[in-house]
Amino acid sequence: MAARHLITGQAGEELAAAFLVEKGMRIVERNFRCASGEIDLICEDAGTIVFVEVKTRSGAVRGEPGEAIGPAKKKRLIKAGALYLSRHRAWSRPCRFDLVGILFLHGETVVEHWEDIIDVRDGLDRGHAPWQPW
């Protein structure tokens, strides 16, 4: 039997995918894995590639889902997103990084969606973002 946190995480990803589809996004890929890490969901939203991190909590002990993305995690997401863009020759397409937080608390389910959680301009080096290949 799978560990409780894995079951909770999978349930959260399923809810997040359904939520995003309901908002009009199309799920392109789930659980994209590479050496830099994993992207939970990759979606398309009106021509924009959306890399989605899903954070699921079953209580408030570990904090709110939206608090779980620190600088190191953002860096890993950028690297994984860059690899995805390279593999799919999609560098010319607009993209963004979103977060969907799922909170299961006292029999209630709360879903929150934050768009564009990573400002790649913060990583600009001589005019280039760290996720660009040039």
Side-chain angles (χ1 to χ4, degrees):
M1 182 172 197
R4 182 175 177 213
H5 74 280
L6 295 176
I7 294 169
T8 301
Q10 183 60 39
E13 284 186 23
E14 292 297 327
L15 278 171
F19 176 82
L20 295 172
V21 167
E22 189 172 302
K23 286 184 79 171
M25 293 188 192
R26 181 175 68 86
I27 307 297
V28 176
E29 191 166 337
R30 292 175 185 243
N31 305 114
F32 173 78
R33 289 180 173 88
C34 63
S36 299
E38 177 185 359
I39 299 174
D40 296 321
L41 300 169
I42 300 175
C43 304
E44 185 173 341
D45 183 22
T48 297
I49 296 172
V50 183
F51 301 110
V52 181
E53 176 69 10
V54 179
K55 286 297 180 186
T56 306
R57 298 287 185 259
S58 59
V61 175
R62 293 181 61 201
E64 295 289 321
E67 299 170 348
I69 307 294
K73 179 65 174 182
K74 287 180 180 180
K75 188 178 230 180
R76 286 191 305 273
L77 287 171
I78 289 170
K79 286 182 177 181
L83 182 60
Y84 179 87
L85 293 173
S86 290
R87 285 185 183 172
H88 292 86
R89 299 180 188 268
W91 283 106
S92 63
R93 303 230 357 236
C95 67
R96 70 173 193 256
F97 294 86
D98 288 7
L99 171 67
V100 174
I102 310 288
L103 182 60
F104 299 119
L105 190 59
H106 308 298
E108 302 269 332
T109 301
V110 178
V111 180
E112 293 183 286
H113 178 206
W114 295 273
E115 293 185 7
D116 213 10
I117 63 164
I118 299 175
D119 185 355
V120 293
R121 292 175 297 181
D122 290 343
L124 292 178
D125 177 30
R126 289 179 279 147
H128 300 121
W131 48 267
Q132 292 174 320
W134 52 89

